[in-house]
């Protein structure tokens, strides 16, 4: 194994951790914006702007969009887009905390799908990390729990997010990362645009919402999904899922720092459990 490849394998988890941090910050900055613009309109604008920015920065990437890449990345984008749409539908019927926890259950679906479709070996350590992360997510998020239509819709979104991780694990290696990302995000824009049809499209209503759209489109979408697609070419899908659960920890941390929320003992314990699971799976021997 070359030193360059070894370095990529070592850097990939920490690059993916930066994605979790960006998504955690997105939870905080999007909260007010979503109240002033419909979620599907927001998602359509966010994903469309991300695609426009990426193509404008590197127009020559369009030459790399062959049939194979479009089919693979488009399929991954369908899973990702459906994940966002089902999560949004569920959020309309249940609380944000429960939505965060149930979405995080992709950490359970991912190793199961990886076992069946990628034939990845599931060790006792992997299952221990999944279990610890799941309990930690629950402590971070749950303030009373009942299972209704909202929870079931969010559970479906968790399945689609897991399927997206599996799809990238299978198809990202050996293909152009930038081109893969553009096709995935274009598919998300298409799906959220279709979901917007019943209510009609309206642009962000003010500069504040536009600022959030630009931040989430460029940093939390374009840059984040390029990094995720690259990282997944160098690590197992289950490791990816556990590291991405740190999104909930970062969201809680940023909510305390910037949103004035109070840190409870339960949330602290939950965050420490997710952190423990992440470090166990990142530092384990391959």
């Amino acid at each position: 194994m070359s030193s360059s490849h070894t370095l990529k394998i070592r850097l990939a988890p920490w690059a993916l951790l930066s994605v979790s941090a960006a998504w955690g910050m997105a939870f905080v900055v999007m909260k007010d914006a979503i109240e002033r613009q419909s979620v599907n309109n927001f998602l359509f604008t966010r994903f469309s702007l991300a695609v426009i920015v990426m193509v404008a920065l590197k127009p020559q990437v369009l030459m790399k969009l062959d049939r194979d890449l479009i089919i693979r990345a488009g399929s991954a984008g369908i899973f990702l887009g459906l994940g966002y749409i089902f999560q949004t539908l569920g959020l309309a019927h249940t609380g944000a905390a429960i939505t965060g926890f149930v979405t995080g259950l992709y950490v359970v679906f991912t190793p199961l799908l990886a076992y069946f479709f990628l034939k990845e070996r599931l060790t006792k350590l992997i299952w221990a990390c999944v279990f610890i992360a799941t309990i930690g997510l629950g402590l971070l998020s749950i303030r009373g729990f009942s299972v209704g239509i909202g929870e079931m819709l969010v559970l479906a979104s968790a399945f689609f997010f897991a399927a997206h991780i599996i799809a990238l694990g299978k198809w990202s290696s050996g293909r152009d990362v930038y081109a893969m990302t553009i096709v995935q995000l274009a598919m998300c824009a298409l799906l959220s645009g279709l979901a917007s049809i019943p209510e009609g499209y309206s642009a962000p209503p003010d500069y504040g919402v536009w600022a959030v759209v630009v931040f989430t489109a460029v940093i939390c979408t374009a840059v984040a999904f390029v990094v995720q697609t690259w990282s997944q070419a160098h690590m197992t899908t289950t490791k990816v899922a556990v590291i991405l659960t740190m999104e909930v920890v970062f969201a809680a941390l940023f909510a305390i720092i910037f949103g004035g929320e109070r840190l409870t003992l339960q949330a602290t314990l939950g965050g420490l459990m997710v952190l423990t699971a992440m470090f166990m799976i990142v530092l384990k021997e391959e």
Side-chain angles (χ1 to χ4, degrees), residues 169-186:
K170 191 172 181 65
W171 297 325
S172 60
S173 184
R175 293 184 173 86
D176 186 84
V177 169
Y178 204 85
M180 285 277 292
T181 304
I182 285 176
V183 174
Q184 289 177 77
L185 299 183

Side-chain angles (χ1 to χ4, degrees), residues 199-212:
E199 62 194 343
Y201 176 73
S202 59
D206 54 56
Y207 288 117
V209 178
W210 266 115
V212 175

